[in-house]
Amino acid sequence: MSASASPPGSPGEPGSAGPAGGPFGPDESLLRGLNPVQREAVVHGEGPLLIVAGAGSGKTRVLTHRVAHLIRERGVSPFQLLAITFTNKAADEMRQRVAVLVGPVAQRMWVSTFHSACVRILRRDATRLGYRSSFTIYDEADALRLTGYVIRDLGLDAKRFPPRAVHAVLSQAKNELVGVDAFRANARSLFDRKLADVYAEYQRRLLAASAMDFDDLLMVTVELLRREPEVLAHYQQRFLHVLVDEYQDTNRAQNELVLLLAQRHRNVCVVGDSDQSVYRFRGADVRNILEFENAFPDATVIVLEQNYRSTQTILDAANAVIANNAMRKPKALWTEQVGGELISRYHAEDEHDEAAWVVHELSRLHRQEHMHWGEVAVFYRANAQSRVLEEELVRQSVPYKLVGGTRFYDRREIKDLLAYVRAVVNPGDEVSFKRIVNVPKRGVGDTSVAKVEAYAAERNLTFGAALARAEMAEALPILAARLPGLELAGPPILRPDISGIVGPDSLPIRFL
């Protein structure tokens, strides 16, 4: 069953979406401002629903109104709804929009990213797989650091096995739900077998440290739901409706999570557009949305084609380009905004010629069109492309503001502070202990760290536990003298001198 938006001028009765709610039909206050096809998506009853939403077609509005409809008209408890988006910002926006429609009960909903939802599930039940409920989450920098340790300790050449490239292979394997055993079984060359050794040791150390990287959050959650029927049944009963945005950018692990959670009640609504799939390099698989109807043969398919963002000139150009995509759900975007300025295309000789043309156009718009500098934006696909543009902007004295930069939690001093806190909460966290062992500088170098590692390996201890026993090892008298410990419930941690980072009365300082 499918539906598609009618061309401009075609009739569409507001009530044609079908009955919902009480005997008098759907609440018109929820449907006001929606076009007929959007209404049909909002008031869809039970069963699987695929919404193919073209760019600028109001998909976020449809998704939030559908959530509100389920709560207000169909009596679904917010506690029984799981809504997945791809960024925390989008999750916050959805929660706020739903709250405007249904009130503060929206705060009881799970509106989160895939990773955030997995963290909540794992905090409750990861102990079934051998992790602490207080497991540490390694970001990309932590994961790369641990990968480097493993490569070094296995005696592999870091030039032939660069940590970043190796970790990318491991990340792809996890996104495809390929575990260590399956990875090793598929290894054909000596190089692949060495990668399998790295994968196995990397996972062993993560488990020993009760830590997970971002990819583990997905893979381990899938493993948990597959291995523990009680846990799966709990969440299938908990979430009677599952809604997922940007479905074209899900990877295999994320798709498997959706299928597992929805296989019992089958009340799953996914929104996406195969023409907007841009995260293949992160493991996204556009086949998930293209094959949704194979997983759910009785799915209703609704196509949102009316665009509210662009002029018809832009849409005509976009339609001409995306029509060449090999794997896509057919659709043709249209808008009531006829006409529009023609699109200009400049074929540059190189990046310097491109930058010069862009800055010339900025200056022309400023001088001749009387546009303020803040009314013009320049987009580029990779951060590395900004340098040439910035040089040209400076050369021609054009003021600009670069959007982006180092995020707060990626700053070195913040990561150092968090490493101290994580070492307190999780004494088995090898990466955090190694990060802070010489921060601030204590004269503890690689040689001393290597001795701790060897001492830990001989006695099957974690790095933190080895530090706690350092004063007992004759080989480490200097190290023991340099690391005065602070006694806690577990091995002593290094006393941090971080008064220059945060105030002496702040929570982290008092906690440490």
Side-chain angles (χ1 to χ4, degrees), residues 53-98:
S57 61
K59 67 179 179 65
T60 303
R61 181 179 177 85
V62 169
L63 202 56
T64 54
H65 280 65
R66 173 158 178 77
V67 170
H69 172 78
L70 290 172
I71 295 173
R72 282 175 50 173
E73 298 297 305
R74 298 192 179 270
V76 179
S77 167
F79 195 68
Q80 296 174 311
L81 292 171
L82 172 63
I84 298 293
T85 65
F86 263 75
T87 66
N88 290 318
K89 181 179 180 181
D92 291 339
E93 179 185 354
M94 181 182 292
R95 190 180 293 106
Q96 292 169 7
R97 287 195 184 193
V98 174

Side-chain angles (χ1 to χ4, degrees), residues 122-171:
L122 292 169
R123 291 294 184 204
R124 178 181 181 271
D125 290 300
T127 53
R128 295 171 181 256
L129 300 180
Y131 294 90
R132 296 189 184 94
S133 60
S134 61
F135 62 85
T136 300
I137 301 172
Y138 285 175
D139 63 14
E140 184 178 2
D142 297 327
L144 287 175
R145 190 184 292 245
L146 180 59
T147 304
Y149 294 156
V150 171
I151 291 171
R152 179 199 63 194
D153 295 344
L154 290 178
L156 300 177
D157 184 358
K159 292 183 179 179
R160 191 179 178 203
F161 295 89
R164 186 174 296 277
V166 170
H167 186 262
V169 173
L170 305 189
S171 176

Side-chain angles (χ1 to χ4, degrees), residues 181-489:
D181 294 339
F183 190 93
R184 192 182 299 280
N186 292 329
R188 295 291 179 264
S189 65
L190 177 62
F191 183 83
D192 290 340
R193 289 193 288 273
K194 293 297 183 183
L195 286 177
D197 292 339
V198 174
Y199 191 5
E201 179 62 13
Y202 177 80
Q203 291 302 110
R204 187 195 68 79
R205 293 196 186 189
L206 282 175
L207 182 59
S210 196
M212 300 184 202
D213 62 23
F214 284 153
D215 301 308
D216 281 319
L217 296 176
L218 301 173
M219 186 175 73
V220 175
T221 303
V222 171
E223 180 185 1
L224 174 68
L225 297 180
R226 285 175 172 176
R227 284 177 47 177
E228 301 291 338
E230 292 180 5
V231 177
L232 177 59
H234 168 79
Y235 286 104
Q236 287 177 339
Q237 294 170 7
R238 165 74 185 272
F239 301 123
L240 297 184
H241 284 267
V242 178
L243 305 96
V244 186
D245 196 8
E246 306 291 1
Y247 202 65
Q248 76 279 352
D249 289 326
T250 55
N251 57 36
R252 183 182 175 189
Q254 292 164 333
N255 185 58
E256 184 66 14
L257 280 170
V258 174
L259 298 181
L260 285 169
L261 292 173
Q263 68 182 8
R264 184 172 181 176
H265 52 68
R266 301 173 61 80
N267 292 326
V268 54
C269 169
V270 300
V271 183
D273 180 9
S274 56
D275 294 328
Q276 298 183 61
S277 181
V278 295
Y279 287 111
R280 178 68 181 271
F281 68 97
R282 292 184 183 176
D285 191 344
V286 71
R287 290 175 298 181
N288 291 340
I289 191 169
L290 295 174
E291 298 175 1
F292 181 82
E293 292 168 89
N294 295 336
F296 299 97
D298 57 332
T300 297
V301 181
I302 296 177
V303 183
L304 304 181
E305 296 177 303
Q306 183 175 358
N307 178 281
Y308 295 90
R309 183 185 300 160
S310 305
T311 63
Q312 192 63 50
T313 299
I314 293 176
L315 294 182
D316 290 342
N319 286 331
V321 172
I322 63 179
N324 298 303
N325 289 357
M327 300 171 60
R328 64 186 299 258
K329 286 280 187 183
K331 65 180 181 303
L333 298 177
W334 61 270
T335 182
E336 294 178 346
Q337 302 180 58
V338 296
E341 292 186 28
L342 296 179
I343 298 171
S344 299
R345 176 180 178 271
Y346 180 74
H347 192 133
E349 296 285 339
D350 54 29
E351 69 272 24
H352 299 285
D353 182 33
E354 178 184 55
W357 183 83
V358 168
V359 176
H360 177 269
E361 281 296 296
L362 293 177
S363 300
R364 183 188 66 80
L365 291 170
H366 181 64
R367 291 193 311 269
Q368 299 179 13
E369 306 292 337
H370 306 293
M371 285 190 176
H372 298 294
W373 294 118
E375 294 179 302
V376 186
V378 179
F379 293 89
Y380 44 85
R381 290 189 64 84
N383 288 329
Q385 293 177 277
S386 72
R387 182 181 62 83
V388 177
L389 283 167
E390 289 186 80
E391 289 174 351
E392 188 66 23
L393 289 166
V394 171
R395 193 176 70 82
Q396 297 197 31
S397 301
V398 174
Y400 70 95
K401 177 182 179 181
L402 189 66
V403 178
T406 303
R407 295 179 298 176
F408 177 78
Y409 287 104
D410 287 340
R411 297 177 184 272
R412 186 182 64 180
E413 63 273 20
I414 301 303
K415 290 179 72 69
D416 290 342
L417 175 59
L418 290 176
Y420 272 104
V421 177
R422 286 159 60 176
V424 173
V425 175
N426 181 6
D429 187 344
E430 173 187 0
V431 170
S432 292
F433 267 107
K434 288 182 178 178
R435 182 182 184 93
I436 63 178
V437 72
N438 198 39
V439 177
K441 296 288 186 182
R442 302 182 177 86
V444 179
D446 293 340
T447 301
S448 297
V449 171
K451 289 181 179 180
V452 177
E453 291 175 327
Y455 181 86
E458 289 174 3
R459 293 159 178 80
N460 195 28
L461 299 172
T462 64
F463 188 83
L467 282 177
R469 300 187 187 183
E471 68 277 8
M472 299 168 55
E474 295 181 0
L476 301 171
I478 298 177
L479 183 62
R482 288 175 175 169
L483 300 178
L486 177 63
E487 294 297 335
L488 293 172

